[in-house]
Amino acid sequence: MSKFYEVRTRDGAARLGKLALSESMQTPLMLRLESGDGLAVVRAGDSNFDDLASEETWTALRGTVLLPEIHPSFTNVTSLFTDFFVLAFASSLLRSPRDFVRRVIDTRNALPPDVALWVPAIATPENAAILFYMGVDILDDTNAVLKGYQGIYQMEDGEARISDLEDLPCNCTVCADLSIDELRARDRKERALLLARHNTLLLDKEVKKTRACIRAGNLREYVEMKVRASTFLTAVLRLLDFNEEPYFEQRTPVARKQIMNVNTMESLKRIEVKRFASRVLDRYEPPARQILLILPCSARKPYSRSNSHTKFIEAIGAYRGSIHELILTSPLGVVPRELEVVYPAALYDIPVTGYWDSEERDWVSSCLRAYLNKNQKSYEVVVAHLGGAYKEICTGVADELGIEIMFTCETNEKATSNEALNRLNARIAELCTDRKRLYGYEQKSGIVKAMADFQVGIGAGSELMTSKEGERLKITGKFPFHKLSADKEVLARIVPQYGLLTFTLNGARRITNLRSSYKVEIGDFVPRGSILAPGVVNADPQIRVNDEVVFCGDKAFGVGRAKMSGWEMVQSRKGVAVQVREVEEV
Ligand SMILES: [Zn+2]
């Protein structure tokens, strides 16, 4: 439990926070050990350790050394009144990538979320970003200074002995005014101080860079790029992706404004990708239509705004009401047309070369296989307007499942060529018994319903969209800015910037599952603006950052957007838990 630390912004497990030292400081933080004033750190077994069990003596920022469980002085720490923990024997993290992952994640899991974690004496400009990505809040310059005294010059992507360098590849205040020969000519102590200064400045720059990434919500992309220079850190990231999925799932927002850039093999393992794929299976029901049409993705999002999809839609236009469209894409797998606005379907970018590596093929195939396995009974016919690798994936899955898929593209043909489009048009006309366009309301309501199910769970959409006696539902606004109203009262709106559906109080009242599974119970007050963590009595553990939630207490009922995960709202003593949209006194 902390008193002088507050987490303000999250990007996955990484956090921007405020530490009330003698002056207020931001985490991720690089502490300069020479100026360590204002910090009171005690070890288990120290004479004033007992003070940490009470709140009364707590008047300044304080921290506790966290000993491994095997240590004789190990104490269970979660109930202590302390602002930060110092991970003891952190240098043992460097023994293997596995130890690195295990100890940091175990430690973070053992600590309350509103307490900062300091991993001392191991920070380098190379590993700082991934340490913060894992949920560490504080590093220090010990290693940078030490390396300086050892004659080691640190760089963004590694280090070298000063004797091996030909040049100083840096523009910091030390390197800008000095040539390598001048540096070598200095006496030992002065050289060590200059090197230490350069190493510290570089680490500080890296910490600032990480803070900027967290603020921008793209730390994952930065980490994928950073680890490339080191096999050790690449192994750390892969182990995190393979073994620590629950840890990151609990901390990853359900939606956000930032584009997800899928540039590396590790990007396929992102929580956002896995979560989308599993929700398409668990929280989506296709509409009753005769034909399933599988289409390739487009670079422009939402897909239906792209040139290629405009052509596909034109080709099937007169029969669109009998067709359900499914988009095949890497890395999301399959995107039903109604979910094309949802995060991250409308907010991802991937380099398109026409070449798919085997891991990408396997993943996308598994998504298509799972979808068809579950939903093929809903369709009479499956048509695929796909060429190249898309077609190969689709053929493989059809063979495995023993289902027949009609292809309307030749293998090496562009799906947007006139021949292919004509073939698509002719095949659809042949399969459909009569012309049936997809009319405005049916199309729009399909989107709103699917998005509600996807966010809250199956059934939410139909509850939201069932009109009560005498009531008239209406969807206004141009795609994708749809707004659902009942007799002029707004129920829900699509917010395409986030890929989310937001609910009004009236909309939320209709959805049982929103009220039961996305519920935040608050104390005896009427919130204005935002609900702070201490005001939360209980919150559903499945709530994630940016989820739509309902809050209720003795005096208020309302809707808003979660700013931390449900478990974090319950365990934290500081910070904004929910941003209030609408509230009503009860
Ligand atoms: Zn420098």
Side-chain angles (χ1 to χ4, degrees), residues 2 36 38-39 120 141 183 205 291 295 309 329 356 383 408 426 446 454 462 481 506-507 553 580:
S2 73
L39 289 186
D141 61 356
L183 180 63
K205 183 177 152 199
I291 297 171
L295 295 167
H309 279 245
T329 181
W356 295 49
V383 178
T408 47
F454 195 79
S462 45
F481 298 87
N506 283 327
V580 174

Side-chain angles (χ1 to χ4, degrees), residues 153 168-176 198-199 201-202:
Y153 183 89
L168 298 176
C170 171
N171 269 330
C172 75
T173 52
V174 176
C175 306
H198 153 84
N199 289 346
L201 285 171
L202 196 64

